[in-house]
Structure formats: C-alpha cells, structure tokens
C-alpha cells in the first residue's frame, strides 16, 4: 500500500510538468490563419522572411505564407490588411507612402531590422597597405586624381576607371553627379557595366587577383559578404541633408558642384495594425528582431557560393548565430527552434 501511495503521489506531481512539456513542444499560434509576409523582390528581404518564418513556424506553431511583389503594391497590401509583416522597409525610399499609412494608422513601425545599409565608393586594402603599396596615401575622393594611373582604364589609359552602377539605375545617376562635383571627369572614365552581374564579377575577379579597382557598391549584398573585409571605403564630405537633396533633385549632372557621402540607411520591420493587436507574442519577437548589414551580406554570400535558397541560408544563419537570435525570443521558443534545427 505504501508503495502504491508513493507511486500515485509521483504521478500527481509529475503530471503538471508533463503537461507543460507537451504544451512547450506543441505551441498553438495566437492567430488561426497563416502569418503573411511581404515577398519583396530582392534576396535580402527573402532571407529575412525565411529566418522569421522558420522561427514563427517552429517556435510559435504558426503557419506562414508569402505574397510576392514590389515595394509600393505590397505596402498598399499591408495597409489593406492582406499582408501582416514586411521585414525590410527602406524609409528613405518610400517616404510618402509610409507617412500616409502611419497617418491613417494602417501599420506600425516595429523598429530597426539592420541599422547600416551601406552605399559608398571602395578600393581594396592591398592598394594602400604596405610600404610599397601602389596607392599608399589614398584615403579620400579628393586624393583620386593623384592615383589615376593606378586605376588605368584599358580603353583610355591616360585616365583611371571608376566602376559605376548600371546605366539607368538611381545609383548610376547619383554617382555621375558626384564625379562631376568632385572634379574627377578629367581624370577618370565613368564606366558603366552592362549588367549588375558584370559589375559584381568585375569586383570579385579583380579582388581575387589583387588587381586595382575603384568602384561603387552597396550592402547588404552577396558581393559585400565575400569582399567587405578586403575593402576600404573612401572618405567623402559628411552627409548633409540639404546638400544631398540638391544633389538628388538636380537633373543635369554637369550642374552639380557639391556632393556628400551617401546617407547610412536604417531598415525597419513594419506590421499591419490589426496584426499588431491580435498577435502580441509574434510582435514582441519581430520587435526584438535585429541583424546587421554584414550578417545579411554573409548569408547572401553563402547562397552565392553554395547555390542554396534563402531557406538554406536561414538555417545556416540560425545554426551559427545562436547568440543573436535567441535574444529575440523567450527560452521555450528558442528551445523549439533549436530542436527543429
């Protein structure tokens, strides 16, 4: 009889813990439909979707879905409630649409995803480091005329070559204005590769062979994920909004006489207002979600090197950056995500 009582007591004591374990193992999503993400048409956003979806599905027991499209249509979709979450909003690019949606209380800004989206002019470190470096002393765009021979253009050898964006891209227009403002058109060719792939290939190839190259690029991208550690960003006059606005608005590059560095952009996570109200646990997770441009660039480089998908890159990121993502979620959610990995 005594043994029976102890066994019964043990069952009574153990039962609540067993129930809690079962509950932890099988979470119930706080909304009874799929969480819908904005499928913006670039890889870094797709990567963030994959990371957030993996955590939402395996940590919170939710189903997820993605609606593909471009920025403004999907922002309108979030305003209507068709989309719950947008992982990459670039506020400088959609100022008016954001202001309108926020004024109408159609969506909520959950804060920064990554604070350091970068655009700049770069050169490789090996050109300036070491006593016999060919461009030793090159630090700023104002120094470039002295080093034009280092970056000699194959078609116009008396000038250096600056690798700009693709003709027609917004960055190509801005860089062309900067070249004029910095007085570099007498000493440098404004070279525009035919495609984005050609520009990326030129950067990767020259750096791999330790050849001279002067170029514009941006991050997060797979290119920066592979070569950022080998680069130096050239100094420019500090960003100033008034000067930048004049630079951006002038349609004739030859009339631009003053330029500044690109602004450093902070990229935000936004959610639909109804979702913000009905899914507080997921909102808490998405509010805490924060990465860096370097994190994303390395994930994109992993995809480039392996031929993997954004889902593959998300798993690789979660496996190798536990300290980062476990700070976004409660301990029980983290344990379920680890088990799924």
């Amino acid at each position: 009889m005594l043994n029976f009582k102890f066994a019964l007591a043990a069952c009574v004591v153990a039962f609540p813990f067993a129930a809690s374990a079962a509950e932890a193992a099988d979470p119930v999503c706080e909304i009874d439909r799929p969480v819908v993400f904005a499928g913006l048409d670039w890889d870094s956003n797709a990567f963030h979707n994959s990371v957030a979806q993996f955590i939402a599905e395996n940590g919170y027991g939710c189903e997820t879905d993605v609606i593909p499209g471009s920025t403004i249509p999907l922002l309108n979709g979030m305003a209507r409630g068709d989309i719950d979450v947008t992982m990459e909003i670039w506020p400088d690019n959609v100022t008016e649409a954001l202001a309108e949606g926020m004024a109408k209380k159609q969506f909520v800004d959950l804060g920064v995803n990554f604070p350091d989206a970068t655009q700049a002019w770069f050169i490789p470190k090996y050109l300036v480091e070491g006593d016999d470096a060919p461009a030793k002393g090159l630090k700023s765009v104002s120094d470039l005329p002295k080093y034009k021979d280092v970056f000699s253009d194959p078609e116009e050898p008396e000038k250096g070559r600056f690798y700009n964006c693709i003709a027609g891209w917004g960055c190509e227009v801005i860089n062309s204005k900067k070249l004029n403002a910095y007085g570099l058109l007498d000493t440098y060719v404004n070279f525009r590769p035919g495609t984005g792939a050609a520009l990326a290939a030129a950067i990767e190839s020259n750096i791999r062979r330790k050849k001279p190259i002067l170029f514009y690029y941006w991050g997060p991208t797979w290119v920066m994920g592979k070569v950022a550690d080998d680069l130096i960003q050239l100094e420019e006059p500090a960003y100033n909004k008034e000067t930048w606005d004049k630079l951006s608005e002038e349609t004739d590059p030859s009339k631009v006489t003053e330029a500044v560095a690109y602004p450093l952009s902070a990229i935000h996570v936004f959610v639909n207002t109804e979702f913000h109200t009905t899914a507080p646990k997921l909102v808490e997770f998405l509010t805490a979600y924060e990465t860096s441009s370097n994190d994303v660039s390395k994930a994109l480089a992993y995809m480039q090197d392996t031929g993997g998908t954004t889902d593959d890159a998300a798993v690789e990121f979660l496996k190798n950056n536990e300290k980062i993502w476990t700070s976004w979620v409660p301990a029980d959610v983290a344990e379920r995500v680890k088990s799924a990995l």
Side-chain angles (χ1 to χ4, degrees):
M1 178 66 70
L2 186 60
N3 289 338
F4 173 77
K5 288 181 178 180
F6 273 113
L8 180 61
C11 289
V12 171
V13 172
F15 180 78
F17 292 97
S20 298
E23 184 179 353
D26 298 306
V28 178
C29 188
E30 56 194 336
I31 58 175
D32 58 1
R33 56 170 180 77
V35 180
V36 181
F37 288 80
L40 295 164
D41 48 2
W42 58 85
D43 284 344
S44 58
N45 180 81
F47 163 71
H48 286 298
N49 279 354
S50 291
V51 172
Q53 286 178 270
F54 192 96
I55 293 174
E57 291 170 3
N58 295 287
Y60 291 90
C62 298
E63 295 181 12
T64 69
D65 197 2
V66 175
I67 295 178
S70 54
T71 303
I72 295 301
L74 292 181
L75 197 58
N76 291 336
M78 187 166 64
R80 290 192 304 269
D82 300 333
I83 289 169
D84 298 308
V85 185
T86 305
M87 293 300 295
E88 270 196 31
I89 290 287
W90 294 59
D92 293 339
N93 296 349
V94 286
T95 306
E96 292 182 10
L98 277 185
E100 181 180 349
M102 295 292 281
K104 294 179 179 179
K105 298 184 178 179
Q106 293 169 325
F107 35 72
V108 179
D109 182 358
L110 297 189
V112 174
N113 178 339
F114 53 95
D116 52 353
T118 304
Q119 300 181 79
W121 292 13
F122 296 97
I123 58 170
K125 286 181 180 178
Y126 51 75
L127 294 180
V128 299
E129 294 181 345
D131 293 337
D132 58 348
K136 189 174 179 63
L138 173 54
K139 297 179 180 179
S140 166
V141 294
S142 63
D143 300 325
L144 282 170
K146 295 184 291 185
Y147 298 95
K148 66 183 179 65
D149 293 339
V150 175
F151 303 101
S152 181
D153 185 276
E155 298 174 10
E156 296 185 52
E158 72 281 4
K159 291 185 176 183
R161 171 177 284 192
F162 171 73
Y163 280 84
N164 200 341
C165 282
I166 315 312
W169 287 12
C171 49
E172 181 265 330
V173 176
I174 293 292
N175 288 326
S176 296
K177 294 175 184 179
K178 285 190 173 194
L179 285 165
N180 188 75
Y182 295 147
L184 294 173
L185 291 175
D186 291 336
T187 50
Y188 281 84
V189 172
N190 183 8
F191 181 76
R192 305 163 179 90
T195 65
L199 175 59
I203 294 168
E204 185 179 19
S205 173
N206 278 279
I207 290 176
R208 187 176 65 249
R209 294 180 294 127
K210 294 194 177 298
K211 298 290 186 180
I213 185 169
L214 164 66
F215 63 97
Y216 160 90
Y217 218 72
W218 69 97
T221 53
W222 70 262
V223 172
M224 296 304 287
K226 296 183 78 167
V227 304
D229 293 341
D230 301 316
L231 301 179
I232 288 175
Q233 179 178 328
L234 290 180
E235 296 172 3
E236 298 181 64
Y239 172 77
N240 172 280
K241 187 176 186 306
E242 182 180 354
T243 303
W244 178 262
D245 288 346
K246 290 179 181 177
L247 169 75
S248 301
E249 292 165 6
E250 178 55 65
T251 58
D252 184 352
S254 67
K255 293 182 179 179
V256 178
T257 58
E258 187 178 7
V260 292
Y262 281 93
L264 192 66
S265 297
I267 312 309
H268 289 233
V269 179
F270 273 71
V271 296
N272 169 268
T273 301
E274 183 180 355
F275 178 83
H276 186 266
T277 302
T278 58
K281 293 179 182 178
L282 289 168
V283 166
E284 184 178 11
F285 149 53
L286 292 167
T287 302
Y289 188 110
E290 185 169 354
T291 60
S292 71
S293 182
N294 187 54
D295 293 331
V296 184
S297 289
K298 289 190 180 303
L300 301 180
Y302 172 82
M303 291 169 54
Q304 178 70 17
D305 288 340
T306 63
T309 65
T310 56
D311 289 342
D312 297 328
V315 169
E316 181 74 5
F317 170 81
L318 292 167
K319 284 181 177 178
N320 293 297
N321 295 278
E322 187 175 299
K323 187 175 181 181
I324 294 175
W325 68 263
T326 53
S327 68
W328 305 338
V329 296
D332 60 327
V333 173
E335 287 306 313
R336 288 192 290 267
V337 172
K338 289 178 191 177
S339 296
L341 291 170

